[in-house]
Amino acid sequence: FSRLKAGLSRSTAKLTESVTTLFRKRRLDDEALEELEETLITADLGVAASRRIVEGFRKTRFGKEVTDEEVKTALAEAIAEILGPVARPMPIDPAHAPHVVLVVGVNGTGKTTTIAKLGQQYREQGLACAFVAGDTFRAAAVEQLQIWGDRTGCRVHVPTKEGADAAGLAFDALKAAKADGTEVLLVDTAGRLHNKSALMEELRKIVRVIRRVDETAPHSVLLVLDATTGQNAIQQAKVFKEMVSVSGLAVTKLDGSAKGGVVVALAQEFGLPVHFVGVGEKAADLRPFAARDFARGLMG
Ligand code: GDP
């Protein structure tokens, strides 16, 4: 939490500073509200959430004298209200034997790292966990999962050759997982967004093919987004939602980010559960998402 706080306060120093200079002691008139809205948009909260927050202020406080502290507290509350409904843990049901988590997202957002961290956490909870190195074109991703597999004792299903068919690999892995008692199967996937239709076909094929083994799979589709990419993260959420039925989000790199506000924009725009936030490189740095703490952190 302290890391998240450090990251967020670094990131949002600008937001809180702007609020402080805006509202040292000031009447909340049209001009002030407009400036507040611009400040929120600049901090990546998105137009819809920024407008919603400012309209809330207009209803409750219009024409009143306010201090910067009052505004910050009220902002944190308004943000927590938007984040509250999406702060939900990722349900894992080992009775699916295994529970299959398909992990999707653009390369570099932190998919493989997130899978490794989840594997370690599930192992610590005593769950038998395995990885599928489904990004078969990226030798580095396959190697990274092998290293984490060795470290955590999670079995790793690797492609027989570079560029092997990811759907076939996932199919074999799920069959093996059913046979060896794996309880959680984490499937890594490619994230080459520059070839959108090929990527969509690949992801849909994985889903189709694993359903031949278990028609209820995948049980979770986790989309990984990099908070530092700001509005690109919003765009990626749109694109991936069209490709597969995303069930929840992991938002990474909130430790160094200047863009924590994008989580608010994501919540407002998509309403998808935010299951995890990433605040560093270690396994424990993948945290459950807590709306109130996050909102407070965002306001410094
Ligand atoms: P992938 O291409 O989506 O599989 O991305 P990777 O898992 O390889 O991650 C890309 C880079 O982001 C790596 O250097 C990771 O260590 C780093 N990374 C992932 N999550 C976080 C995070 O929460 N915080 C920080 N600081 N770095 C992260």
Side-chain angles (χ1 to χ4, degrees):
F1 177 61
S2 64
R3 263 217 216 199
L4 173 63
K5 210 167 158 219
L8 286 177
S9 53
R10 196 174 331 134
S11 68
T12 51
K14 248 181 82 197
L15 174 58
T16 43
E17 267 166 37
S18 312
V19 170
T20 304
T21 36
L22 262 178
F23 294 102
R24 198 143 274 144
K25 186 162 176 69
R26 181 166 174 188
R27 191 173 297 282
L28 210 55
D29 55 14
D30 279 320
E31 192 195 348
L33 287 171
E34 205 162 292
E35 282 176 43
L36 177 62
E37 186 173 327
E38 277 166 28
T39 304
L40 296 174
I41 291 170
T42 311
D44 264 326
L45 275 78
V47 173
S50 303
R51 199 161 285 163
R52 172 175 164 181
I53 292 169
V54 167
E55 286 317 305
F57 273 52
R58 187 188 297 281
K59 280 208 192 91
T60 52
R61 294 183 177 77
F62 189 76
K64 291 189 181 142
E65 286 272 337
V66 289
T67 65
D68 57 328
E69 281 310 316
E70 277 164 8
V71 172
K72 278 186 217 167
T73 307
L75 269 180
E77 267 167 34
I79 290 170
E81 216 167 275
I82 295 174
L83 296 178
V86 302
R88 298 211 297 272
M90 184 166 81
I92 289 286
D93 184 358
H96 284 128
H99 184 104
V100 179
V101 184
L102 190 67
V103 182
V104 302
V106 173
N107 285 342
T109 52
K111 273 190 312 290
T112 310
T113 314
T114 298
I115 288 173
K117 289 170 175 173
L118 282 174
Q120 179 152 340
Q121 292 183 8
Y122 292 139
R123 287 286 296 151
E124 282 162 9
Q125 292 165 28
L127 291 168
C129 192
F131 302 135
V132 182
D135 192 356
T136 61
F137 276 99
R138 276 179 66 225
V142 176
E143 266 167 42
Q144 198 188 339
L145 282 180
Q146 274 175 317
I147 292 168
W148 278 92
D150 289 343
R151 209 177 284 170
T152 54
C154 295
R155 181 169 175 189
V156 191
H157 299 274
V158 295
T160 47
K161 60 176 196 312
E162 194 175 308
D165 177 44
L169 174 66
F171 178 84
D172 290 341
L174 181 52
K175 279 215 299 204
K178 288 218 171 278
D180 72 10
T182 296
E183 292 168 293
V184 185
L185 188 68
L186 296 157
V187 184
D188 199 2
T189 61
R192 293 174 292 274
L193 203 56
H194 57 270
N195 195 344
K196 218 162 82 179
S197 58
L199 179 59
M200 177 156 79
E201 183 41 44
E202 178 161 335
L203 295 177
R204 288 184 176 171
K205 187 173 168 194
I206 294 174
V207 171
R208 251 189 344 261
V209 165
I210 59 178
R211 282 191 180 150
R212 284 199 220 136
V213 185
D214 178 348
E215 62 186 22
T216 66
H219 307 101
S220 309
V221 179
L222 183 67
L223 171 62
V224 180
L225 298 169
D226 174 346
T228 63
T229 63
Q231 293 306 305
N232 276 346
I234 305 280
Q235 198 48 40
Q236 289 168 17
K238 268 194 199 122
V239 171
F240 276 88
K241 264 188 59 158
E242 285 165 17
M243 293 188 188
V244 279
S245 63
V246 174
S247 58
L249 306 177
V251 185
T252 63
K253 307 189 198 179
L254 281 160
D255 43 328
S257 163
K259 306 283 183 182
V262 77
V263 183
V264 184
L266 285 166
Q268 174 71 33
E269 181 141 353
F270 302 105
L272 283 168
V274 180
H275 296 313
F276 306 102
V277 288
V279 295
E281 314 255 346
K282 290 199 292 292
D285 294 334
L286 188 72
R287 312 276 172 82
F289 179 59
R292 214 152 269 288
D293 288 349
F294 192 88
R296 257 189 252 125
L298 210 48
M299 291 316 305

